[in-house]
């Protein structure tokens, strides 16, 4: 989808993103890996020249509760769920696009040149508070005393 620099307003670009989001169906997170392999047995066709490799081996990898989970998929399962993986990629792309549009609109509304990582923050409206010299320090514990 083109950026709002093509003459559309930010509201029109947001509406287009919302419409595209409404078209997305089921989404499956993670990564699909399709590979072929050699078994290493001398009489096997996978050691011939040219080799006839085993596979395809289709693996679906994702993170569940902070752990990597890998599941094998059959070619039929992969064909059935490939659109769901494509929907997840499309969803991530649309979310990224909406975030970029939001950053651009916030910068425009606040009169900032840009909002990008690594650029200095806009000036503060009140000074940052430093440490309070009147605040009592915690008492030292016996373990903190020099021997």
């Amino acid at each position: 989808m083109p950026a709002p620099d093509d003459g559309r307003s930010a509201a029109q670009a947001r509406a287009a993103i919302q419409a595209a989001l409404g078209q997305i169906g089921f989404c499956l997170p993670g990564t699909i890996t399709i590979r072929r392999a050699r078994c290493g047995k001398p009489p096997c066709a996978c050691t011939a020249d040219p080799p006839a490799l085993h596979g395809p081996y289709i693996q679906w990898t994702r993170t569940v509760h902070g752990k990597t989970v890998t599941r094998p998929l059959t070619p039929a399962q992969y064909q059935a769920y490939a659109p769901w993986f494509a929907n997840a990629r499309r969803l991530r792309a649309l979310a990224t696009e909406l975030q970029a549009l939001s950053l651009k609109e916030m910068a425009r509304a606040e009169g900032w040149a840009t909002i990008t990582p690594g650029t200095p923050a806009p000036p503060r409206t009140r000074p940052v508070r430093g440490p309070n010299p009147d605040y009592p320090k915690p008492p030292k514990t016996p373990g903190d005393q020099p021997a």
Side-chain angles (χ1 to χ4, degrees), residues 64-77:
V64 178
H65 302 296
K67 302 284 184 180
T68 301
V69 177
T70 301
R71 236 178 224 219
L73 296 179
T74 64
Q77 288 172 322

Side-chain angles (χ1 to χ4, degrees), residues 22 29 34 43 52 59-60 71 76 83 91 101 110-113 119 124 131 140 147:
I34 302 173
Q59 293 178 322
W60 171 34
R71 236 178 224 219
L91 179 63
L101 178 63
E110 295 298 325
W112 299 335
T119 59
R124 296 180 176 269
K140 293 200 175 231

